Amino acid sequence: MASTTEATQPAAGEATATTEVAHGEGHGAFPPFDSSTFPSQILWLAIAFGLLYLLMSRIALPRVASVLDARSDRLASDIDEANRLKNESDAMAAAYEQALAEARNNASAIAQKASNAAKAEADAKRAEAEASVAAKLAEAETAIVAAKTKAMSGVSAIAIDTTDAILKYFATGAATKSEIEQAVKAALAK
């Protein structure tokens, strides 16, 4: 396709000229694919790669390395701090367990002491009650012995009188009062 360019109406006395330019003439192949430009492209690639390598090795990578080192140091310090806090919490837990064990031992000792005191008090009251009962029992036994002795002293007189009455009623022979007393005393002694 041809393109024509015309000048506008010329002023009086000027000549007119037309210029035609074919489309696509004047341009060669795409420059990166043009083999005549390969050496300059390789040169500029080497220069750009070298500058990029220097920029990365001198500026960017040291900054990244320093950030990674700082992060690694921070992680190490955080881990050390966590270990320190864990050790402290373990020590506190051990101290708590020890205090709890001591409190349990103290409570057990207090309970044992209270139990022993209550047992001693109960033993003392029981001993007092036993002593009181023993005293009352001794008084009762004394009273019983006294009553028995009194009763027995009257029994021998009654036995003598009863024996004398029975012998007078059933027996034809009479016994003397001293014989009857000796027989009753002998019978009571058995």
Side-chain angles (χ1 to χ4, degrees), residues 57-187:
S57 67
R58 304 288 172 139
I59 296 171
L61 291 178
R63 287 183 183 173
V64 170
S66 67
V67 168
L68 290 176
D69 288 342
R71 184 172 181 229
S72 176
D73 291 344
R74 188 168 12 114
L75 286 174
S77 68
D78 288 349
I79 289 172
D80 290 342
E81 180 69 15
N83 286 336
R84 184 186 63 81
L85 291 174
K86 181 186 177 289
N87 290 339
E88 285 180 10
S89 68
D90 289 346
M92 289 176 131
Y96 171 75
E97 290 295 327
Q98 182 179 2
L100 187 60
E102 288 175 4
R104 284 183 182 149
N105 290 340
N106 288 342
S108 176
I110 290 170
Q112 185 64 34
K113 190 184 229 184
S115 173
N116 290 344
K119 184 178 177 184
E121 184 178 336
D123 287 346
K125 285 184 179 181
R126 184 175 45 88
E128 183 180 310
E130 285 177 357
S132 172
V133 167
K136 287 180 182 180
L137 186 60
E139 287 176 14
E141 285 177 359
T142 304
I144 289 171
V145 167
K148 183 179 177 183
T149 305
K150 184 178 177 185
M152 292 306 276
S153 67
V155 167
S156 68
I158 292 172
I160 292 171
D161 289 340
T162 305
T163 305
D164 188 33
I166 291 173
L167 285 177
K168 284 183 186 176
Y169 183 71
F170 289 112
T172 54
T176 63
K177 193 138 182 133
S178 65
E179 292 175 345
I180 294 173
E181 283 179 13
Q182 285 177 0
V184 168
K185 284 182 186 178

